[in-house]
Amino acid sequence: MSPVRCTAAAVLAWTLAGWWPAAADGLRAGQWRAVQSPEIDGVAGPVQQTSRCLTPEAVADLDTTFSAVSRTTNSTCERTEHELTPQRLKWRLQCTGQIDMDVTGEFIFDSPEHYTATITARSFAMGRQLQSVRTSIDARRVGECP
């Protein structure tokens, strides 16, 4: 994998690492399992499954729990879009610098124990797209925390 692809993949990894179920119209604290299905430049990548215990405090702040946080080097990032309702969170983060990034996320909270999301991250250098990663997430509460 080229250094540019590694950088874009790393940015996507930090973005996805922060997203977990939150209190949206009654989502419940507990153990959650998320299945992430990436598509990199139109090619399906390996499906990943993660799980995490969420405390009542963790699910109390939907916006903080699911919004992207920038941890980039040599880039400046700005949230250019943000919409929050009890059933949906939609945002867009644009970064400029050594590599430009455009990251969007949309989370749909359809029941107290399930949500879906789509995260799209595109990277650019000198006006040319380097990589596009679209990740679909299906998350479900699986029980109480251990």
Side-chain angles (χ1 to χ4, degrees):
M1 187 175 279
S2 73
V4 171
R5 284 184 177 256
C6 288
T7 302
V11 170
L12 181 60
W14 66 252
T15 304
L16 292 177
W19 293 321
W20 296 98
D25 206 29
L27 280 185
R28 297 177 53 202
Q31 188 75 20
W32 283 77
R33 182 167 297 129
V35 176
Q36 301 174 2
S37 304
E39 184 180 290
I40 304 165
D41 294 327
V43 177
V47 173
Q48 297 180 342
Q49 184 171 289
T50 59
S51 64
R52 181 175 178 188
C53 176
L54 295 171
T55 65
E57 295 80 17
V59 299
D61 187 355
L62 172 67
D63 200 22
T64 299
T65 302
F66 282 97
S67 290
V69 176
S70 169
R71 295 182 194 140
T72 60
T73 303
N74 299 327
S75 292
T76 301
C77 297
E78 177 183 1
R79 183 166 70 176
T80 59
E81 182 179 340
H82 180 258
E83 178 185 333
L84 174 64
T85 70
Q87 293 79 32
R88 178 178 178 219
L89 172 64
K90 184 177 181 181
W91 50 258
R92 182 176 189 177
L93 183 70
Q94 293 182 306
C95 302
T96 56
Q98 186 175 1
I99 294 179
D100 296 338
M101 294 287 298
D102 185 11
V103 185
T104 60
E106 181 173 22
F107 293 77
I108 305 296
F109 309 104
D110 55 9
S111 82
E113 298 192 352
H114 181 258
Y115 76 88
T116 58
T118 302
I119 311 299
T120 302
R122 297 181 304 145
S123 60
F124 302 86
M126 298 188 296
R128 193 177 121 232
Q129 183 169 305
L130 301 173
Q131 185 176 49
S132 177
V133 179
R134 179 187 165 130
T135 303
S136 299
I137 301 170
D138 187 85
R140 189 168 306 281
R141 187 178 185 276
V142 294
E144 299 300 321
C145 293

